[in-house]
Amino acid sequence: MSTVLNVKNLTQRFSGLVALENVNMCVEEGEIVGIIGPNGAGKTTLFNCITGVYHPSEGTVEMLGKDITGWKPYKITELGFARTFQNIKLFPKMTVLDNVIVGMHTRTKTNILTAIFNTKSKREEEKRCEEKAIELLKLFGMEHLKYEMSTALPYGPQRDLEIARALASDPKLLLLDEPAAGMNESETEALRQTVYRLKQMGYTILLIEHDMKFVMNICERIYVLDNGRLIGSGTPEEVKANPAVIEAYLGKD
Ligand SMILES: Nc1ncnc2c1ncn2[C@@H]1O[C@H](COP(=O)(O)OP(=O)(O)O)[C@@H](O)[C@H]1O
Ligand SMILES: [Mg+2]
């Protein structure tokens, strides 16, 4: 088993505010790992440091042993990390299908010349992309919605679509920022089953989530952030029994 993500001594400062302080964490291939913590704990900032949105003040981020600290986000996507956002970011003027196809563009082979001449190989590639996108939509039971505009979908399916688009790049690590946020109970349960299926398919997943039941049910290991610091980690059982974790939650909620 290889280490897909390795975060070492990561610190992120924003003029005076320390959003992350000396964070160490890792994700092994095939794992589902959770990040929990109160609002403002630094969870999204951690994702932003991992995916190149922020250049960390200190520390390193390694993908499969390669130091990617400070790389541009598109480079990091190309190499194998894909994410969803806390606030849904779909392309509103595109269909459901096209939203997924866009997620593939970093991995397609079409170069500028074939794009200009619209060659047979390009058409074949487009067909392959479309077939693959439809397969991904099927995972979420959304194939019949492929020609709908993305914004016409209800909230739950929009979140699913974001995940489908992230998967389109064949990521080595899928990062989900509060995927169940705003979902109702049945949508959350459907998402839990989908995430579980993704694990069975061999995906490696790092997820931030507020819904404790969701996290405890699906994650094999959990990291707990509070005020930018890791205050605990381990299996769901270990984390639930950790006094520092209990205090952080009881003290704030
Ligand atoms: N770009 C930024 N500039 C300044 N402060 C930020 C920025 N991004 C996040 N923060 C601050 O960092 C802290 C952690 O935020 P965030 O990572 O969004 O928390 P979480 O996702 O755990 O709720 C918060 O105090 C937030 O206001
Ligand atoms: Mg957040």
Side-chain angles (χ1 to χ4, degrees), residues 80-245:
F81 287 174
R83 75 181 289 185
T84 64
F85 294 85
Q86 193 166 349
N87 307 308
I88 296 175
K89 290 188 182 175
L90 292 168
F91 296 101
K93 298 208 164 99
M94 284 187 191
T95 63
V96 166
L97 185 64
D98 285 342
N99 263 278
V100 179
I101 291 174
V102 164
M104 275 170 214
H105 82 280
T106 58
R107 290 294 169 90
T108 59
K109 289 191 210 77
T110 308
N111 63 33
I112 199 81
L113 276 180
T114 55
I116 290 167
F117 293 109
N118 197 18
T119 58
K120 185 162 171 259
S121 77
K122 189 196 169 214
R123 286 193 300 276
E124 278 167 0
E125 174 126 358
E126 277 174 0
K127 192 155 175 287
R128 265 200 310 278
C129 284
E130 185 167 327
E131 281 165 5
K132 189 177 155 195
I134 289 170
E135 282 310 305
L136 286 167
L137 289 173
K138 277 185 190 163
L139 258 179
F140 295 87
M142 291 175 74
E143 190 205 357
H144 62 294
L145 300 171
K146 62 186 174 199
Y147 298 129
E148 298 283 332
M149 297 308 273
S150 64
T151 43
L153 300 181
Y155 190 77
Q158 284 198 23
R159 294 225 83 114
D160 290 341
L161 177 56
E162 250 211 322
I163 300 175
R165 184 180 57 189
L167 290 174
S169 66
D170 287 329
K172 297 190 170 70
L173 177 69
L174 176 65
L175 299 107
L176 306 175
D177 195 346
E178 301 206 20
M183 283 188 172
N184 64 35
E185 212 164 298
S186 65
E187 286 170 338
T188 305
E189 176 52 24
L191 176 70
R192 198 186 65 79
Q193 286 174 21
T194 306
V195 171
Y196 190 70
R197 229 171 331 133
L198 295 179
K199 179 191 159 59
Q200 287 175 321
M201 290 168 73
Y203 285 105
T204 308
I205 299 170
L206 179 62
L207 70 92
I208 293 172
E209 188 45 65
H210 243 76
D211 188 324
M212 276 299 177
K213 201 170 131 220
F214 186 91
V215 175
M216 296 291 172
N217 263 322
I218 197 87
C219 295
E220 294 153 281
R221 287 194 303 118
I222 295 169
Y223 289 95
V224 190
L225 273 175
D226 185 30
N227 267 321
R229 286 176 304 115
L230 271 184
I231 59 165
S233 66
T235 64
E237 289 68 33
E238 285 165 348
V239 162
K240 268 189 265 186
N242 183 326
V245 176

